[in-house]
């Protein structure tokens, strides 16, 4: 039975945010990836288009989430469904860190507005 202890989770930092990966192929997952995101106060992540569906659940704090051209303020307990092909931007306009839980399928890639691609290690 694969059990990932919090002490075994791998931490990655990119664009000012921290991603702590729990479920990945390296930890025994066959189809899904899941991670905890920590988005510090003042963070404005770059817009990126995803190739897989993501389920983004906010645990703590508040965020502005922009999907394509629509922006919503989300609060703890809110869940955002990000469909493949959607362009996502995450902003934390508050003075405290926001914490999220994200689940997606293995193979997530993100394309930035400049055309560069990111294959997040916490989602593959």
């Amino acid at each position: 039975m694969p059990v990932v202890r919090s002490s075994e989770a791998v931490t990655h930092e990119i664009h000012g945010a921290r991603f702590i990966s729990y479920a990945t192929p390296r930890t025994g997952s066959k189809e899904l990836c899941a991670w905890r995101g920590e988005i510090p106060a003042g963070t404005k992540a770059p817009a990126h288009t995803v190739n897989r569906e993501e389920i983004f659940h906010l645990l703590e704090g508040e965020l502005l989430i922009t999907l394509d051209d629509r922006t919503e303020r989300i609060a703890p307990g809110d869940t955002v469904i990000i469909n493949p092909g959607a362009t996502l931007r995450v902003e934390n306009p508050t003075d405290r860190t926001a914490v999220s839980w994200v689940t997606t399928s293995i193979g997530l890639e993100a394309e930035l507005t400049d055309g560069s691609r990111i294959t997040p290690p916490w989602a593959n």
Side-chain angles (χ1 to χ4, degrees), residues 7-105:
S7 61
E8 299 168 338
V10 178
T11 300
H12 307 274
E13 294 191 23
I14 187 171
H15 301 295
R18 175 179 288 155
F19 304 89
I20 303 100
S21 63
Y22 292 90
T24 69
R26 289 181 213 102
T27 60
S29 181
K30 302 293 183 205
E31 296 181 14
L32 299 175
C33 293
W35 63 88
R36 175 185 162 109
E38 298 175 356
I39 303 101
T43 297
K44 291 183 181 183
H48 56 284
T49 302
V50 296
N51 70 330
R52 301 269 197 259
E53 182 176 66
E54 284 186 69
I55 307 300
F56 185 104
H57 182 77
L58 192 62
L59 299 169
E60 298 175 24
E62 291 185 21
L63 293 172
L64 293 176
I65 301 285
T66 303
L67 278 180
D68 296 323
D69 294 323
R70 183 175 174 192
T71 301
E72 294 278 342
R73 181 176 292 271
I74 64 169
D78 292 346
T79 299
V80 179
I81 299 169
I82 305 152
N83 290 308
T87 299
L88 169 69
R89 182 175 20 236
V90 178
E91 179 180 349
N92 182 349
T94 73
D95 61 357
R96 65 184 198 131
T97 297
V99 179
S100 64
W101 184 260
V102 181
T103 304
T104 189
S105 56

